[in-house]
Amino acid sequence: MWLDVVDLRDFYDSPLGQVARRLLRRRIRLVWPNTSGLRVLGIGFATPYLRPFREEAERVAAVMPASQGALPWPADGPGLVTLCEDEALPFPDRSFDRILLVHALENTEHSRLLMREVWRVLTDGGRVMVITPNRQGLWARLERTPFASGQPYSSQQLSALLRDTMFTPLSVHRALFCPPVSSRLMRAWAGAIEEIGWRWFPGFSGVVLVEAAKQIYAAPTNGAVVRQSGYLALPDRLRTYGNRFTPVEPPSPTPPPDHEQANPSA
């Protein structure tokens, strides 16, 4: 079930949402430190994390699902947001080099169709990063944040889904180790808590980030391919000599017996 875009905007405008945005941005930039000359797409509600890419990427765009709603972005330039169905992205094949999914996979009812569309619009050497709530984390249990909406994933579940949709998981990262509380003291210590959790308690992160590459060498099939085997019979008038086929001259007609031959003197 998709969250309303207004609720997402209000969360990221709140003090807790600003902390979450800062910590997640830092982790995303560690994985993708340089996007110069690349085309970047955000799916779901990814606009809070796309601003750093605008300064260096060739092109940045955002897709917001129709069930969620859309808001204009950015406020200081031409709009870069499009509204569409999550299983039908309005882009040609191999359009983007980096695709970021935030507040998307856990909310959609068509997770495999969404990932197949991501596979289609991703370039052959591109990378996709999927961010979902961690099933074991505290952020997925408290309703005051949008990370408590939808289906949370463990890192193993998310990697398995990516493999099933023709992606190869490359690395797993974690973020949001600080508790989702609005205390000023907790917000001040959020950076230190993030480092401690990342080093010593990785299983209790608020979100899981998995980077994956597009797999283009194999495709899953619904059943085994049945091949009919057999020999191809050669025509009777062809005879094989080595590696060449030589036509065989037809035999001469057999003359009839002497008693069947017509008597010319008769």
Side-chain angles (χ1 to χ4, degrees), residues 17-27 49 187-188 190-191:
Q18 293 175 9
V19 171
R21 175 170 50 189
R22 184 179 75 249
L23 296 177
L24 267 176
R25 269 186 184 177
R26 183 186 306 172
R27 191 61 58 188
Y49 308 99
R187 296 198 305 268

Side-chain angles (χ1 to χ4, degrees), residues 150-241:
Q151 176 185 352
Y153 286 84
S154 66
S155 59
Q156 293 83 3
Q157 291 172 331
L158 189 53
S159 298
L161 176 61
L162 288 169
R163 285 192 295 268
D164 289 343
T165 50
M166 296 182 66
F167 289 95
T168 302
L170 300 177
S171 58
V172 178
H173 307 269
R174 302 177 183 273
L176 299 186
F177 290 92
C178 64
V181 296
S182 299
S183 168
R184 182 177 301 178
L185 179 62
M186 188 63 64
R187 296 198 305 268
W189 283 88
I193 296 174
E194 192 78 2
E195 293 299 323
I196 294 173
W198 181 76
R199 290 179 180 274
W200 301 105
F201 306 101
F204 296 97
S205 63
V207 298
V208 177
L209 304 84
V210 177
E211 184 193 22
K214 181 177 182 179
Q215 186 186 60
I216 59 176
Y217 303 107
T221 58
N222 294 329
V225 178
V226 178
R227 293 185 174 90
Q228 295 182 353
S229 60
Y231 295 101
L232 179 62
L234 293 176
D236 293 337
R237 297 188 60 186
L238 292 180
R239 179 178 298 166
T240 305
Y241 292 98

Side-chain angles (χ1 to χ4, degrees), residues 54-73:
R54 290 184 60 204
E55 303 174 358
E56 60 186 27
E58 174 190 332
R59 182 187 310 163
V60 176
V63 168
M64 295 188 181
S67 301
Q68 168 191 285
L71 290 174
W73 179 85

